[in-house]
């Protein structure tokens, strides 16, 4: 992470659908509780679905810089309210306990 910007986040494909993406998102939110931003490829439907499930909103559609030069989307997350922050803190605590 670079401040509130998630520079890179990857889950090995053999570990998809096992909760690792959610764990990484919850951890990132704990590091930057006032909000997060990042870019991903527009065609990465599985990742985009995960991000949107966790409250991230598409803020801008564009093209990534060379050498990729691929269609991308910028996502933002801002906590909606105190209840959401409390829920995220509870999720992080549960993940740290191995649950």
């Amino acid at each position: 992470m670079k401040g509130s910007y998630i520079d890179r986040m990857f889950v090995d494909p053999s570990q998809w659908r096992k909760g690792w993406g959610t764990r990484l998102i919850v951890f990132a939110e704990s590091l930057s509780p006032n909000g997060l931003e990042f870019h991903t490829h527009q065609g990465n439907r599985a990742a985009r679905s995960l991000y949107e499930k966790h409250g991230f909103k598409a803020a801008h559609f564009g093209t990534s810089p060379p050498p990729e030069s691929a269609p991308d989307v910028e996502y933002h997350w801002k906590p909606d309210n105190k209840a959401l922050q409390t829920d995220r803190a509870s999720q992080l605590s549960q993940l740290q306990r191995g649950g």
Side-chain angles (χ1 to χ4, degrees):
M1 288 185 56
K2 294 180 180 180
S4 64
Y5 188 81
I6 300 174
D7 188 42
R8 299 277 189 261
M9 182 170 70
F10 299 96
V11 174
D12 186 285
S14 70
Q15 296 298 307
W16 287 357
R17 309 212 47 87
K18 295 182 181 181
W20 292 110
T22 294
R23 287 180 180 99
L24 290 170
I25 288 169
V26 170
F27 180 66
E29 290 172 350
S30 76
L31 296 176
S32 185
N34 293 320
L36 293 166
E37 307 84 34
F38 64 90
H39 289 81
T40 193
H41 292 283
Q42 288 183 29
N44 192 344
R45 300 280 181 208
R48 291 181 59 197
S49 177
L50 175 71
Y51 305 141
E52 291 169 10
K53 174 181 147 186
H54 286 279
F56 287 83
K57 305 289 185 206
H60 177 75
F61 290 84
T63 304
S64 61
E68 291 176 329
S69 302
D72 70 3
V73 57
E74 180 179 342
Y75 275 97
H76 292 191
W77 171 81
K78 300 284 183 198
D80 290 334
N81 57 40
K82 198 66 171 173
L84 180 59
Q85 290 177 3
T86 301
D87 182 51
R88 291 294 194 222
S90 174
Q91 287 178 339
L92 180 61
S93 176
Q94 183 179 17
L95 291 171
Q96 289 172 336
R97 290 191 310 264

